[in-house]
Amino acid sequence: MKRLALLLGLCAPALAFAQSVPTMNPRVTLAGPTGLNAAMATKADTANGTLSTPTINGGSVNGTSLVNTAITGTNPAIQLQDTSTSNDTARWQFINYLGTFQLNAVNDANTANNNAFTCSRNGYTVTGCSFAAPLTTSAGTFGSPAAGDVLGLWPNLYFAPNPNFSGTLTIAGAALPTLNLKSTSANVASAIYQGTDGALNLQPNGAGAGTNVFNAGSSFYVHDSVGSAQINMLAAGQSNPVTIWQDTQGNAWFSPTATNADNTIVANGTGTLYLNANSIQFNNPFLSDISKCGNISGATGCLEVKNDGGDLGYIPWFKAN
């Protein structure tokens, strides 16, 4: 009995100093779906812990890392606003608008926007991206025609002054691939294009405009790796060209291709026409009637000639032995 009384005496101070439990009104049980244990299981610690599928309405998040975050909803967007600047300076907006990614500059009220960059997709395949404003890189400004740019927006393509191209520049995708040259002082463009026959064409599109070729300190060459190298000339309304060419034996030719057409070579003013060769060959220009040229003894025919007025005359022809 004495030992029991002693034990009770030793425990008495501990009971006196134990923490009291606050009275809750109405009383809350610990167990069950409405008990205190269930309520505490949904509590989020402000210093640590995990939030599973929470809904946050309003408020702000500071210094948070987002991992594999999905922003969902109709036209999901992110607004980036610099609050350190003056009011109503607008913000940047990243938005998935009907499946198209956009970077927009929007006003603070989010009631007006200007698109800067757009990307379209087909499923998870990107089908194209475009800039709606000039893009400046270390290589120059893209998309600014006023300053001259390297790459413009379709359908206009602008080049900066004196651009350099490395490798091959190909214009393709058309039956007549064409390079149009447009002077700032000309009304119409001139074209360089390849025809369906594979030939290269130079076409001045202005009425009466010509094609001039200037070579300073060098020569102009016409090559043909198959046959004769030719220059063909067509007058207005003509279908048979006059041709200058060199054949595969090295001979030079100048000939109109129309039937019975004439060749006329004229020295300007009082200039002299020079024929420098070891021999000159005439193709059937003679008359056997030597009476036309004076019946000179030994003559075998007469050579027909005309003066500037078109008057016909004859020169005696003597055949060499």
Side-chain angles (χ1 to χ4, degrees):
M1 184 63 69
K2 292 181 179 181
R3 292 179 180 177
L4 179 58
L6 179 60
L7 180 61
L8 293 174
L10 292 174
C11 294
L15 293 174
F17 291 99
Q19 183 178 4
S20 60
V21 177
T23 302
M24 305 183 74
N25 188 19
R27 295 184 179 276
V28 177
T29 60
L30 294 178
T34 59
L36 185 58
N37 290 339
M40 293 300 293
T42 62
K43 174 182 176 295
D45 196 316
T46 58
N48 205 343
T50 300
L51 299 178
S52 299
T53 63
T55 299
I56 302 175
N57 295 319
S60 61
V61 180
N62 185 21
T64 298
S65 297
L66 304 178
V67 179
N68 296 329
T69 302
I71 301 174
T72 62
T74 302
N75 300 328
I78 297 176
Q79 309 281 346
L80 303 180
Q81 183 179 21
D82 186 358
T83 58
S84 65
T85 61
S86 59
N87 292 332
D88 200 26
T89 55
R91 65 187 76 180
W92 288 109
Q93 176 194 72
F94 294 93
I95 183 171
N96 182 351
Y97 182 74
L98 300 178
T100 299
F101 172 76
Q102 295 181 0
L103 170 61
N104 301 324
V106 301
N107 63 343
D108 284 337
N110 200 19
T111 57
N113 69 78
N114 290 302
N115 176 252
F117 179 70
T118 299
C119 280
S120 59
R121 62 176 175 79
N122 182 5
Y124 58 85
T125 300
V126 179
T127 56
C129 295
S130 63
F131 286 90
L135 174 64
T136 300
T137 71
S138 58
T141 300
F142 295 75
S144 180
D149 58 0
V150 180
L151 179 63
L153 297 175
W154 182 260
N156 297 315
L157 181 64
Y158 301 91
F159 292 98
N162 303 318
N164 294 317
F165 296 92
S166 297
T168 301
L169 176 64
T170 301
I171 300 175
L176 300 174
T178 302
L179 175 63
N180 288 309
L181 306 178
K182 180 67 174 69
S183 170
T184 56
S185 58
N187 294 326
V188 293
S190 294
I192 302 174
Y193 67 95
Q194 184 184 37
T196 55
D197 57 355
L200 177 66
N201 297 274
L202 305 177
Q203 179 177 318
N205 292 324
T211 300
N212 300 310
V213 178
F214 293 93
N215 279 340
S218 62
S219 301
F220 179 71
Y221 289 88
V222 177
H223 288 271
D224 193 328
S225 60
V226 179
S228 301
Q230 298 183 357
I231 298 176
N232 295 301
M233 296 174 289
L234 278 170
Q238 291 295 324
S239 58
N240 296 293
V242 171
T243 304
I244 302 173
W245 78 93
Q246 183 187 41
D247 63 21
T248 54
Q249 285 74 42
N251 299 315
W253 298 79
F254 170 67
S255 175
T257 58
T259 304
N260 298 325
D262 297 328
N263 283 347
T264 301
I265 301 175
V266 179
N268 191 24
T270 59
T272 301
L273 181 65
Y274 292 93
L275 299 176
N276 296 311
N278 291 328
S279 64
I280 300 175
Q281 180 175 335
F282 296 93
N283 185 23
N284 298 325
F286 309 110
L287 296 176
S288 59
D289 184 4
I290 61 174
S291 64
K292 296 288 187 180
C293 50
N295 289 319
I296 299 176
S297 178
T300 59
C302 300
L303 176 65
E304 294 183 341
V305 294
K306 289 183 179 181
N307 62 11
D308 289 344
D311 298 325
L312 180 63
Y314 302 93
I315 299 174
W317 179 261
F318 297 88
K319 184 177 180 180
N321 293 330

